PDB file of all heavy atoms in Angstrom:
ATOM      1  N   ILE A  27       0.761  -1.179   0.022  1.00 84.00           N
ATOM      2  CA  ILE A  27       0.047  -0.031  -0.053  1.00 84.00           C
ATOM      3  C   ILE A  27       0.763   1.296   0.002  1.00 84.00           C
ATOM      4  O   ILE A  27       0.668   2.070  -0.878  1.00 84.00           O
ATOM      5  CB  ILE A  27      -0.915  -0.072   1.218  1.00 84.00           C
ATOM      6  CG1 ILE A  27      -1.970  -1.131   1.167  1.00 84.00           C
ATOM      7  CG2 ILE A  27      -1.715   1.213   1.311  1.00 84.00           C
ATOM      8  CD1 ILE A  27      -2.847  -1.331   2.238  1.00 84.00           C
ATOM      9  N   PHE A  28       1.761   1.316   0.950  1.00 84.00           N
ATOM     10  CA  PHE A  28       2.581   2.434   0.969  1.00 84.00           C
ATOM     11  C   PHE A  28       4.078   2.320   0.585  1.00 84.00           C
ATOM     12  O   PHE A  28       4.906   3.170   0.524  1.00 84.00           O
ATOM     13  CB  PHE A  28       2.682   2.974   2.493  1.00 84.00           C
ATOM     14  CG  PHE A  28       1.399   3.379   3.021  1.00 84.00           C
ATOM     15  CD1 PHE A  28       0.637   2.555   3.751  1.00 84.00           C
ATOM     16  CD2 PHE A  28       0.864   4.630   2.698  1.00 84.00           C
ATOM     17  CE1 PHE A  28      -0.583   3.049   4.270  1.00 84.00           C
ATOM     18  CE2 PHE A  28      -0.351   5.056   3.261  1.00 84.00           C
ATOM     19  CZ  PHE A  28      -1.192   4.245   3.918  1.00 84.00           C
ATOM     20  N   GLY A  29       4.504   1.059   0.188  1.00 77.00           N
ATOM     21  CA  GLY A  29       5.792   0.762  -0.216  1.00 77.00           C
ATOM     22  C   GLY A  29       5.934   0.790  -1.655  1.00 77.00           C
ATOM     23  O   GLY A  29       5.122   1.355  -2.544  1.00 77.00           O
ATOM     24  N   GLY A  30       6.964   0.130  -2.204  1.00 70.00           N
ATOM     25  CA  GLY A  30       7.302   0.160  -3.727  1.00 70.00           C
ATOM     26  C   GLY A  30       6.254  -0.633  -4.515  1.00 70.00           C
ATOM     27  O   GLY A  30       6.040  -0.209  -5.622  1.00 70.00           O
ATOM     28  N   LEU A  31       5.462  -1.417  -3.909  1.00 67.00           N
ATOM     29  CA  LEU A  31       4.300  -2.097  -4.599  1.00 67.00           C
ATOM     30  C   LEU A  31       3.091  -1.423  -4.533  1.00 67.00           C
ATOM     31  O   LEU A  31       2.119  -1.849  -5.100  1.00 67.00           O
ATOM     32  CB  LEU A  31       4.149  -3.577  -3.896  1.00 67.00           C
ATOM     33  CG  LEU A  31       5.366  -4.453  -4.001  1.00 67.00           C
ATOM     34  CD1 LEU A  31       5.127  -5.674  -3.268  1.00 67.00           C
ATOM     35  CD2 LEU A  31       5.843  -4.679  -5.431  1.00 67.00           C
ATOM     36  N   GLY A  32       2.904  -0.352  -3.781  1.00 72.00           N
ATOM     37  CA  GLY A  32       1.717   0.376  -3.585  1.00 72.00           C
ATOM     38  C   GLY A  32       1.505   1.642  -4.241  1.00 72.00           C
ATOM     39  O   GLY A  32       2.473   2.247  -4.779  1.00 72.00           O
ATOM     40  N   HIS A  33       0.282   2.178  -4.430  1.00 82.00           N
ATOM     41  CA  HIS A  33       0.023   3.355  -5.183  1.00 82.00           C
ATOM     42  C   HIS A  33       0.046   4.603  -4.095  1.00 82.00           C
ATOM     43  O   HIS A  33      -0.220   5.821  -4.514  1.00 82.00           O
ATOM     44  CB  HIS A  33      -1.272   3.306  -5.812  1.00 82.00           C
ATOM     45  CG  HIS A  33      -2.394   2.701  -5.100  1.00 82.00           C
ATOM     46  ND1 HIS A  33      -2.589   1.309  -5.167  1.00 82.00           N
ATOM     47  CD2 HIS A  33      -3.190   3.168  -4.220  1.00 82.00           C
ATOM     48  CE1 HIS A  33      -3.581   1.018  -4.296  1.00 82.00           C
ATOM     49  NE2 HIS A  33      -4.113   2.136  -3.769  1.00 82.00           N
ATOM     50  N   TYR A  34       0.266   4.426  -2.791  1.00 86.00           N
ATOM     51  CA  TYR A  34       0.403   5.545  -1.792  1.00 86.00           C
ATOM     52  C   TYR A  34       1.926   5.683  -1.394  1.00 86.00           C
ATOM     53  O   TYR A  34       2.067   6.210  -0.175  1.00 86.00           O
ATOM     54  CB  TYR A  34      -0.517   5.289  -0.664  1.00 86.00           C
ATOM     55  CG  TYR A  34      -1.944   5.223  -0.953  1.00 86.00           C
ATOM     56  CD1 TYR A  34      -2.650   3.979  -1.066  1.00 86.00           C
ATOM     57  CD2 TYR A  34      -2.755   6.283  -1.100  1.00 86.00           C
ATOM     58  CE1 TYR A  34      -4.011   3.836  -1.237  1.00 86.00           C
ATOM     59  CE2 TYR A  34      -4.040   6.403  -1.407  1.00 86.00           C
ATOM     60  CZ  TYR A  34      -4.644   5.183  -1.405  1.00 86.00           C
ATOM     61  OH  TYR A  34      -6.089   5.115  -1.763  1.00 86.00           O
ATOM     62  N   SER A  35       2.930   5.315  -2.131  1.00 86.00           N
ATOM     63  CA  SER A  35       4.239   5.318  -1.714  1.00 86.00           C
ATOM     64  C   SER A  35       4.643   6.786  -1.354  1.00 86.00           C
ATOM     65  O   SER A  35       5.552   6.974  -0.603  1.00 86.00           O
ATOM     66  CB  SER A  35       5.060   4.790  -2.725  1.00 86.00           C
ATOM     67  OG  SER A  35       4.996   5.392  -3.912  1.00 86.00           O
ATOM     68  N   ALA A  36       4.081   7.786  -2.143  1.00 86.00           N
ATOM     69  CA  ALA A  36       4.499   9.098  -1.933  1.00 86.00           C
ATOM     70  C   ALA A  36       4.196   9.571  -0.553  1.00 86.00           C
ATOM     71  O   ALA A  36       4.815  10.659  -0.019  1.00 86.00           O
ATOM     72  CB  ALA A  36       3.855  10.088  -2.871  1.00 86.00           C
ATOM     73  N   ILE A  37       3.364   9.019   0.207  1.00 87.00           N
ATOM     74  CA  ILE A  37       2.940   9.290   1.618  1.00 87.00           C
ATOM     75  C   ILE A  37       4.166   9.391   2.517  1.00 87.00           C
ATOM     76  O   ILE A  37       4.261   9.941   3.554  1.00 87.00           O
ATOM     77  CB  ILE A  37       1.822   8.517   2.107  1.00 87.00           C
ATOM     78  CG1 ILE A  37       0.497   8.643   1.268  1.00 87.00           C
ATOM     79  CG2 ILE A  37       1.488   8.710   3.581  1.00 87.00           C
ATOM     80  CD1 ILE A  37      -0.065   9.941   1.255  1.00 87.00           C
ATOM     81  N   ASN A  38       5.173   8.460   2.179  1.00 88.00           N
ATOM     82  CA  ASN A  38       6.348   8.334   3.021  1.00 88.00           C
ATOM     83  C   ASN A  38       7.041   9.664   3.070  1.00 88.00           C
ATOM     84  O   ASN A  38       7.907   9.753   4.039  1.00 88.00           O
ATOM     85  CB  ASN A  38       7.223   7.206   2.462  1.00 88.00           C
ATOM     86  CG  ASN A  38       6.632   5.789   2.699  1.00 88.00           C
ATOM     87  OD1 ASN A  38       6.548   5.454   3.817  1.00 88.00           O
ATOM     88  ND2 ASN A  38       6.159   5.143   1.613  1.00 88.00           N
ATOM     89  N   TRP A  39       6.889  10.459   2.116  1.00 90.00           N
ATOM     90  CA  TRP A  39       7.678  11.812   2.258  1.00 90.00           C
ATOM     91  C   TRP A  39       7.180  12.609   3.486  1.00 90.00           C
ATOM     92  O   TRP A  39       7.902  13.563   3.924  1.00 90.00           O
ATOM     93  CB  TRP A  39       7.476  12.628   0.988  1.00 90.00           C
ATOM     94  CG  TRP A  39       8.156  12.125  -0.193  1.00 90.00           C
ATOM     95  CD1 TRP A  39       7.719  11.461  -1.197  1.00 90.00           C
ATOM     96  CD2 TRP A  39       9.528  12.268  -0.475  1.00 90.00           C
ATOM     97  NE1 TRP A  39       8.676  11.062  -2.050  1.00 90.00           N
ATOM     98  CE2 TRP A  39       9.886  11.588  -1.679  1.00 90.00           C
ATOM     99  CE3 TRP A  39      10.581  12.897   0.197  1.00 90.00           C
ATOM    100  CZ2 TRP A  39      11.184  11.534  -2.309  1.00 90.00           C
ATOM    101  CZ3 TRP A  39      11.926  12.836  -0.281  1.00 90.00           C
ATOM    102  CH2 TRP A  39      12.132  12.238  -1.590  1.00 90.00           C
ATOM    103  N   PHE A  40       6.204  12.281   4.127  1.00 90.00           N
ATOM    104  CA  PHE A  40       5.638  13.018   5.261  1.00 90.00           C
ATOM    105  C   PHE A  40       6.758  12.915   6.437  1.00 90.00           C
ATOM    106  O   PHE A  40       6.687  13.679   7.276  1.00 90.00           O
ATOM    107  CB  PHE A  40       4.289  12.500   5.708  1.00 90.00           C
ATOM    108  CG  PHE A  40       3.098  13.080   5.004  1.00 90.00           C
ATOM    109  CD1 PHE A  40       2.747  12.766   3.674  1.00 90.00           C
ATOM    110  CD2 PHE A  40       2.281  14.242   5.494  1.00 90.00           C
ATOM    111  CE1 PHE A  40       1.704  13.292   3.042  1.00 90.00           C
ATOM    112  CE2 PHE A  40       1.479  14.855   4.980  1.00 90.00           C
ATOM    113  CZ  PHE A  40       0.937  14.386   3.694  1.00 90.00           C
ATOM    114  N   PHE A  41       7.485  11.764   6.491  1.00 90.00           N
ATOM    115  CA  PHE A  41       8.328  11.607   7.541  1.00 90.00           C
ATOM    116  C   PHE A  41       9.426  12.658   7.490  1.00 90.00           C
ATOM    117  O   PHE A  41       9.738  13.207   8.341  1.00 90.00           O
ATOM    118  CB  PHE A  41       9.126  10.133   7.170  1.00 90.00           C
ATOM    119  CG  PHE A  41       8.329   9.039   7.834  1.00 90.00           C
ATOM    120  CD1 PHE A  41       7.937   8.025   6.900  1.00 90.00           C
ATOM    121  CD2 PHE A  41       8.171   8.837   9.133  1.00 90.00           C
ATOM    122  CE1 PHE A  41       7.257   7.018   7.459  1.00 90.00           C
ATOM    123  CE2 PHE A  41       7.513   7.748   9.616  1.00 90.00           C
ATOM    124  CZ  PHE A  41       7.099   6.729   8.751  1.00 90.00           C
ATOM    125  N   LEU A  42       9.915  12.831   6.181  1.00 92.00           N
ATOM    126  CA  LEU A  42      10.874  14.046   5.968  1.00 92.00           C
ATOM    127  C   LEU A  42      10.271  15.409   6.324  1.00 92.00           C
ATOM    128  O   LEU A  42      10.856  16.190   7.048  1.00 92.00           O
ATOM    129  CB  LEU A  42      11.384  13.928   4.582  1.00 92.00           C
ATOM    130  CG  LEU A  42      12.375  15.127   4.248  1.00 92.00           C
ATOM    131  CD1 LEU A  42      13.606  14.939   5.021  1.00 92.00           C
ATOM    132  CD2 LEU A  42      12.842  15.080   2.807  1.00 92.00           C
ATOM    133  N   ALA A  43       8.987  15.620   5.893  1.00 92.00           N
ATOM    134  CA  ALA A  43       8.419  16.847   6.226  1.00 92.00           C
ATOM    135  C   ALA A  43       8.260  17.143   7.735  1.00 92.00           C
ATOM    136  O   ALA A  43       8.481  18.124   8.231  1.00 92.00           O
ATOM    137  CB  ALA A  43       6.956  17.035   5.538  1.00 92.00           C
ATOM    138  N   GLY A  44       7.844  16.050   8.451  1.00 90.00           N
ATOM    139  CA  GLY A  44       7.700  16.129   9.873  1.00 90.00           C
ATOM    140  C   GLY A  44       8.991  16.495  10.588  1.00 90.00           C
ATOM    141  O   GLY A  44       9.066  17.179  11.568  1.00 90.00           O
ATOM    142  N   ALA A  45      10.097  15.901  10.165  1.00 91.00           N
ATOM    143  CA  ALA A  45      11.447  16.165  10.663  1.00 91.00           C
ATOM    144  C   ALA A  45      11.886  17.535  10.416  1.00 91.00           C
ATOM    145  O   ALA A  45      12.603  18.146  11.121  1.00 91.00           O
ATOM    146  CB  ALA A  45      12.488  15.148  10.179  1.00 91.00           C
ATOM    147  N   ILE A  46      11.549  18.027   9.307  1.00 93.00           N
ATOM    148  CA  ILE A  46      11.951  19.425   8.854  1.00 93.00           C
ATOM    149  C   ILE A  46      11.277  20.538   9.552  1.00 93.00           C
ATOM    150  O   ILE A  46      11.771  21.581   9.968  1.00 93.00           O
ATOM    151  CB  ILE A  46      11.922  19.694   7.359  1.00 93.00           C
ATOM    152  CG1 ILE A  46      12.903  18.688   6.636  1.00 93.00           C
ATOM    153  CG2 ILE A  46      12.097  21.197   6.976  1.00 93.00           C
ATOM    154  CD1 ILE A  46      12.857  18.806   5.110  1.00 93.00           C
ATOM    155  N   ALA A  47       9.991  20.326   9.779  1.00 92.00           N
ATOM    156  CA  ALA A  47       9.062  21.378  10.296  1.00 92.00           C
ATOM    157  C   ALA A  47       9.625  21.930  11.670  1.00 92.00           C
ATOM    158  O   ALA A  47       9.720  23.250  11.803  1.00 92.00           O
ATOM    159  CB  ALA A  47       7.676  20.819  10.536  1.00 92.00           C
ATOM    160  N   PRO A  48       9.810  21.146  12.650  1.00 91.00           N
ATOM    161  CA  PRO A  48      10.509  21.653  13.942  1.00 91.00           C
ATOM    162  C   PRO A  48      11.801  22.496  13.771  1.00 91.00           C
ATOM    163  O   PRO A  48      11.922  23.512  14.504  1.00 91.00           O
ATOM    164  CB  PRO A  48      10.619  20.498  14.871  1.00 91.00           C
ATOM    165  CG  PRO A  48       9.839  19.526  14.177  1.00 91.00           C
ATOM    166  CD  PRO A  48       9.847  19.671  12.789  1.00 91.00           C
ATOM    167  N   ILE A  49      12.417  22.053  12.798  1.00 93.00           N
ATOM    168  CA  ILE A  49      13.813  22.773  12.560  1.00 93.00           C
ATOM    169  C   ILE A  49      13.552  24.205  12.135  1.00 93.00           C
ATOM    170  O   ILE A  49      14.161  25.165  12.515  1.00 93.00           O
ATOM    171  CB  ILE A  49      14.626  21.999  11.624  1.00 93.00           C
ATOM    172  CG1 ILE A  49      15.021  20.557  12.006  1.00 93.00           C
ATOM    173  CG2 ILE A  49      15.868  22.716  11.156  1.00 93.00           C
ATOM    174  CD1 ILE A  49      15.786  19.709  11.112  1.00 93.00           C
ATOM    175  N   LEU A  50      12.585  24.341  11.195  1.00 93.00           N
ATOM    176  CA  LEU A  50      12.226  25.553  10.702  1.00 93.00           C
ATOM    177  C   LEU A  50      11.749  26.530  11.833  1.00 93.00           C
ATOM    178  O   LEU A  50      12.125  27.665  11.905  1.00 93.00           O
ATOM    179  CB  LEU A  50      11.066  25.458   9.617  1.00 93.00           C
ATOM    180  CG  LEU A  50      11.422  24.735   8.357  1.00 93.00           C
ATOM    181  CD1 LEU A  50      10.353  24.710   7.431  1.00 93.00           C
ATOM    182  CD2 LEU A  50      12.622  25.447   7.840  1.00 93.00           C
ATOM    183  N   VAL A  51      10.872  26.005  12.760  1.00 90.00           N
ATOM    184  CA  VAL A  51      10.294  26.800  13.969  1.00 90.00           C
ATOM    185  C   VAL A  51      11.678  27.199  14.847  1.00 90.00           C
ATOM    186  O   VAL A  51      11.697  28.318  15.359  1.00 90.00           O
ATOM    187  CB  VAL A  51       9.370  25.978  14.759  1.00 90.00           C
ATOM    188  CG1 VAL A  51       8.831  26.751  15.892  1.00 90.00           C
ATOM    189  CG2 VAL A  51       8.227  25.690  13.788  1.00 90.00           C
ATOM    190  N   TRP A  52      12.461  26.223  15.024  1.00 90.00           N
ATOM    191  CA  TRP A  52      13.561  26.497  15.969  1.00 90.00           C
ATOM    192  C   TRP A  52      14.535  27.601  15.322  1.00 90.00           C
ATOM    193  O   TRP A  52      14.973  28.538  16.077  1.00 90.00           O
ATOM    194  CB  TRP A  52      14.395  25.139  16.057  1.00 90.00           C
ATOM    195  CG  TRP A  52      15.516  25.325  17.040  1.00 90.00           C
ATOM    196  CD1 TRP A  52      15.532  25.332  18.386  1.00 90.00           C
ATOM    197  CD2 TRP A  52      16.870  25.435  16.670  1.00 90.00           C
ATOM    198  NE1 TRP A  52      16.702  25.398  18.967  1.00 90.00           N
ATOM    199  CE2 TRP A  52      17.749  25.494  17.795  1.00 90.00           C
ATOM    200  CE3 TRP A  52      17.568  25.473  15.473  1.00 90.00           C
ATOM    201  CZ2 TRP A  52      19.111  25.532  17.838  1.00 90.00           C
ATOM    202  CZ3 TRP A  52      18.982  25.618  15.511  1.00 90.00           C
ATOM    203  CH2 TRP A  52      19.741  25.585  16.714  1.00 90.00           C
ATOM    204  N   LEU A  53      14.661  27.577  13.859  1.00 92.00           N
ATOM    205  CA  LEU A  53      15.701  28.538  13.282  1.00 92.00           C
ATOM    206  C   LEU A  53      14.774  29.955  13.421  1.00 92.00           C
ATOM    207  O   LEU A  53      15.450  30.929  13.712  1.00 92.00           O
ATOM    208  CB  LEU A  53      15.808  28.157  11.904  1.00 92.00           C
ATOM    209  CG  LEU A  53      16.733  26.944  11.677  1.00 92.00           C
ATOM    210  CD1 LEU A  53      16.801  26.539  10.191  1.00 92.00           C
ATOM    211  CD2 LEU A  53      18.140  27.218  12.127  1.00 92.00           C
ATOM    212  N   ALA A  54      13.511  29.889  13.223  1.00 90.00           N
ATOM    213  CA  ALA A  54      12.849  31.220  13.280  1.00 90.00           C
ATOM    214  C   ALA A  54      12.924  31.865  14.775  1.00 90.00           C
ATOM    215  O   ALA A  54      12.987  32.975  14.994  1.00 90.00           O
ATOM    216  CB  ALA A  54      11.340  30.876  12.950  1.00 90.00           C
ATOM    217  N   HIS A  55      12.799  30.862  15.735  1.00 88.00           N
ATOM    218  CA  HIS A  55      12.981  31.330  17.160  1.00 88.00           C
ATOM    219  C   HIS A  55      14.313  31.885  17.459  1.00 88.00           C
ATOM    220  O   HIS A  55      14.455  32.873  18.048  1.00 88.00           O
ATOM    221  CB  HIS A  55      12.573  30.186  17.997  1.00 88.00           C
ATOM    222  CG  HIS A  55      12.940  30.464  19.493  1.00 88.00           C
ATOM    223  ND1 HIS A  55      12.352  31.407  20.300  1.00 88.00           N
ATOM    224  CD2 HIS A  55      13.898  29.928  20.353  1.00 88.00           C
ATOM    225  CE1 HIS A  55      12.814  31.435  21.485  1.00 88.00           C
ATOM    226  NE2 HIS A  55      13.865  30.646  21.568  1.00 88.00           N
ATOM    227  N   LYS A  56      15.421  31.291  16.980  1.00 87.00           N
ATOM    228  CA  LYS A  56      16.722  31.865  17.059  1.00 87.00           C
ATOM    229  C   LYS A  56      16.973  33.141  16.409  1.00 87.00           C
ATOM    230  O   LYS A  56      17.626  33.948  16.833  1.00 87.00           O
ATOM    231  CB  LYS A  56      17.647  30.836  16.680  1.00 87.00           C
ATOM    232  CG  LYS A  56      17.796  29.539  17.510  1.00 87.00           C
ATOM    233  CD  LYS A  56      18.236  29.845  18.934  1.00 87.00           C
ATOM    234  CE  LYS A  56      18.156  28.618  19.718  1.00 87.00           C
ATOM    235  NZ  LYS A  56      18.588  28.999  21.139  1.00 87.00           N
ATOM    236  N   ALA A  57      16.353  33.287  15.183  1.00 88.00           N
ATOM    237  CA  ALA A  57      16.447  34.427  14.337  1.00 88.00           C
ATOM    238  C   ALA A  57      15.617  35.655  14.987  1.00 88.00           C
ATOM    239  O   ALA A  57      16.123  36.753  14.898  1.00 88.00           O
ATOM    240  CB  ALA A  57      16.078  34.137  12.939  1.00 88.00           C
ATOM    241  N   PHE A  58      14.550  35.390  15.573  1.00 88.00           N
ATOM    242  CA  PHE A  58      13.689  36.387  16.139  1.00 88.00           C
ATOM    243  C   PHE A  58      13.416  36.100  17.658  1.00 88.00           C
ATOM    244  O   PHE A  58      12.344  35.742  17.972  1.00 88.00           O
ATOM    245  CB  PHE A  58      12.339  36.559  15.429  1.00 88.00           C
ATOM    246  CG  PHE A  58      12.620  36.767  13.919  1.00 88.00           C
ATOM    247  CD1 PHE A  58      12.564  35.825  13.004  1.00 88.00           C
ATOM    248  CD2 PHE A  58      13.026  38.105  13.382  1.00 88.00           C
ATOM    249  CE1 PHE A  58      12.721  35.803  11.637  1.00 88.00           C
ATOM    250  CE2 PHE A  58      13.125  38.145  12.052  1.00 88.00           C
ATOM    251  CZ  PHE A  58      13.015  37.208  11.158  1.00 88.00           C
ATOM    252  N   PRO A  59      14.508  36.135  18.437  1.00 85.00           N
ATOM    253  CA  PRO A  59      14.267  35.699  19.886  1.00 85.00           C
ATOM    254  C   PRO A  59      13.185  36.547  20.683  1.00 85.00           C
ATOM    255  O   PRO A  59      12.647  36.060  21.601  1.00 85.00           O
ATOM    256  CB  PRO A  59      15.643  35.705  20.438  1.00 85.00           C
ATOM    257  CG  PRO A  59      16.338  36.837  19.556  1.00 85.00           C
ATOM    258  CD  PRO A  59      15.777  36.602  18.245  1.00 85.00           C
ATOM    259  N   ASN A  60      12.920  37.613  20.259  1.00 86.00           N
ATOM    260  CA  ASN A  60      11.991  38.609  20.996  1.00 86.00           C
ATOM    261  C   ASN A  60      10.574  38.179  20.559  1.00 86.00           C
ATOM    262  O   ASN A  60       9.670  38.722  21.220  1.00 86.00           O
ATOM    263  CB  ASN A  60      12.380  40.105  20.649  1.00 86.00           C
ATOM    264  CG  ASN A  60      13.646  40.499  21.158  1.00 86.00           C
ATOM    265  OD1 ASN A  60      14.047  40.039  22.333  1.00 86.00           O
ATOM    266  ND2 ASN A  60      14.289  41.385  20.611  1.00 86.00           N
ATOM    267  N   GLN A  61      10.411  37.465  19.639  1.00 85.00           N
ATOM    268  CA  GLN A  61       8.928  36.913  19.125  1.00 85.00           C
ATOM    269  C   GLN A  61       8.703  35.800  19.956  1.00 85.00           C
ATOM    270  O   GLN A  61       8.846  34.607  19.362  1.00 85.00           O
ATOM    271  CB  GLN A  61       8.892  36.967  17.585  1.00 85.00           C
ATOM    272  CG  GLN A  61       9.271  38.152  16.807  1.00 85.00           C
ATOM    273  CD  GLN A  61       8.373  39.289  17.065  1.00 85.00           C
ATOM    274  OE1 GLN A  61       7.096  39.056  17.102  1.00 85.00           O
ATOM    275  NE2 GLN A  61       8.803  40.506  17.059  1.00 85.00           N
ATOM    276  N   HIS A  62       8.111  35.942  21.167  1.00 83.00           N
ATOM    277  CA  HIS A  62       7.886  34.723  21.860  1.00 83.00           C
ATOM    278  C   HIS A  62       6.836  33.885  21.307  1.00 83.00           C
ATOM    279  O   HIS A  62       6.698  32.683  21.827  1.00 83.00           O
ATOM    280  CB  HIS A  62       7.470  35.276  23.306  1.00 83.00           C
ATOM    281  CG  HIS A  62       8.558  36.075  23.907  1.00 83.00           C
ATOM    282  ND1 HIS A  62       9.736  35.597  24.365  1.00 83.00           N
ATOM    283  CD2 HIS A  62       8.588  37.362  24.305  1.00 83.00           C
ATOM    284  CE1 HIS A  62      10.400  36.559  24.962  1.00 83.00           C
ATOM    285  NE2 HIS A  62       9.779  37.644  24.869  1.00 83.00           N
ATOM    286  N   TRP A  63       5.896  34.325  20.537  1.00 86.00           N
ATOM    287  CA  TRP A  63       4.816  33.489  20.027  1.00 86.00           C
ATOM    288  C   TRP A  63       5.413  32.326  19.088  1.00 86.00           C
ATOM    289  O   TRP A  63       4.729  31.282  18.910  1.00 86.00           O
ATOM    290  CB  TRP A  63       3.898  34.225  19.305  1.00 86.00           C
ATOM    291  CG  TRP A  63       4.384  34.964  17.980  1.00 86.00           C
ATOM    292  CD1 TRP A  63       4.994  36.235  17.915  1.00 86.00           C
ATOM    293  CD2 TRP A  63       4.449  34.435  16.723  1.00 86.00           C
ATOM    294  NE1 TRP A  63       5.408  36.470  16.650  1.00 86.00           N
ATOM    295  CE2 TRP A  63       5.049  35.421  15.834  1.00 86.00           C
ATOM    296  CE3 TRP A  63       4.118  33.194  16.212  1.00 86.00           C
ATOM    297  CZ2 TRP A  63       5.333  35.258  14.464  1.00 86.00           C
ATOM    298  CZ3 TRP A  63       4.346  33.074  14.752  1.00 86.00           C
ATOM    299  CH2 TRP A  63       4.909  34.008  13.932  1.00 86.00           C
ATOM    300  N   ILE A  64       6.694  32.512  18.517  1.00 87.00           N
ATOM    301  CA  ILE A  64       7.388  31.612  17.654  1.00 87.00           C
ATOM    302  C   ILE A  64       7.459  30.262  18.430  1.00 87.00           C
ATOM    303  O   ILE A  64       7.283  29.133  18.049  1.00 87.00           O
ATOM    304  CB  ILE A  64       8.582  32.116  16.931  1.00 87.00           C
ATOM    305  CG1 ILE A  64       8.257  33.229  16.063  1.00 87.00           C
ATOM    306  CG2 ILE A  64       9.301  30.958  16.247  1.00 87.00           C
ATOM    307  CD1 ILE A  64       9.370  33.883  15.394  1.00 87.00           C
ATOM    308  N   LYS A  65       8.028  30.478  19.619  1.00 83.00           N
ATOM    309  CA  LYS A  65       8.365  29.266  20.413  1.00 83.00           C
ATOM    310  C   LYS A  65       7.125  28.485  20.948  1.00 83.00           C
ATOM    311  O   LYS A  65       7.185  27.263  21.211  1.00 83.00           O
ATOM    312  CB  LYS A  65       9.082  29.688  21.751  1.00 83.00           C
ATOM    313  CG  LYS A  65       9.833  28.531  22.406  1.00 83.00           C
ATOM    314  CD  LYS A  65      10.826  28.956  23.606  1.00 83.00           C
ATOM    315  CE  LYS A  65      11.415  27.779  24.253  1.00 83.00           C
ATOM    316  NZ  LYS A  65      12.361  28.190  25.334  1.00 83.00           N
ATOM    317  N   LEU A  66       5.975  29.147  20.821  1.00 85.00           N
ATOM    318  CA  LEU A  66       4.737  28.352  21.150  1.00 85.00           C
ATOM    319  C   LEU A  66       4.225  27.521  20.091  1.00 85.00           C
ATOM    320  O   LEU A  66       3.212  26.819  20.207  1.00 85.00           O
ATOM    321  CB  LEU A  66       3.626  29.501  21.519  1.00 85.00           C
ATOM    322  CG  LEU A  66       3.866  30.329  22.912  1.00 85.00           C
ATOM    323  CD1 LEU A  66       2.827  31.265  23.040  1.00 85.00           C
ATOM    324  CD2 LEU A  66       4.183  29.363  23.985  1.00 85.00           C
ATOM    325  N   ILE A  67       4.776  27.574  18.925  1.00 88.00           N
ATOM    326  CA  ILE A  67       4.434  26.768  17.763  1.00 88.00           C
ATOM    327  C   ILE A  67       5.015  25.359  18.042  1.00 88.00           C
ATOM    328  O   ILE A  67       6.205  25.153  18.023  1.00 88.00           O
ATOM    329  CB  ILE A  67       4.925  27.258  16.464  1.00 88.00           C
ATOM    330  CG1 ILE A  67       4.407  28.662  16.109  1.00 88.00           C
ATOM    331  CG2 ILE A  67       4.607  26.296  15.250  1.00 88.00           C
ATOM    332  CD1 ILE A  67       4.977  29.277  14.897  1.00 88.00           C
ATOM    333  N   SER A  68       4.164  24.252  18.362  1.00 86.00           N
ATOM    334  CA  SER A  68       4.521  23.086  18.609  1.00 86.00           C
ATOM    335  C   SER A  68       4.127  22.108  17.361  1.00 86.00           C
ATOM    336  O   SER A  68       2.888  21.897  17.260  1.00 86.00           O
ATOM    337  CB  SER A  68       3.817  22.553  19.904  1.00 86.00           C
ATOM    338  OG  SER A  68       4.200  21.112  20.068  1.00 86.00           O
TER     339      SER A  68
END
């Protein structure tokens, strides 16, 4: 279903997207430390 034999294989890219998303928030928090609302993005 989600592997090489399945038609939903592209769903696996969500693993990478999920790993990148917190990094973007962390970088934004470091770049704008006075914007406290950024750190509240979980």
Side-chain angles (χ1 to χ4, degrees):
I27 299 177
F28 295 101
L31 302 176
H33 41 274
Y34 294 104
S35 58
I37 298 294
N38 290 290
W39 286 103
F40 276 82
F41 280 114
L42 180 60
I46 293 174
I49 297 175
L50 298 178
V51 176
W52 183 78
L53 291 174
H55 170 63
K56 292 298 181 182
F58 306 99
N60 295 326
Q61 301 296 322
H62 298 293
W63 63 270
I64 296 177
K65 195 174 181 179
L66 296 178
I67 300 174
S68 175

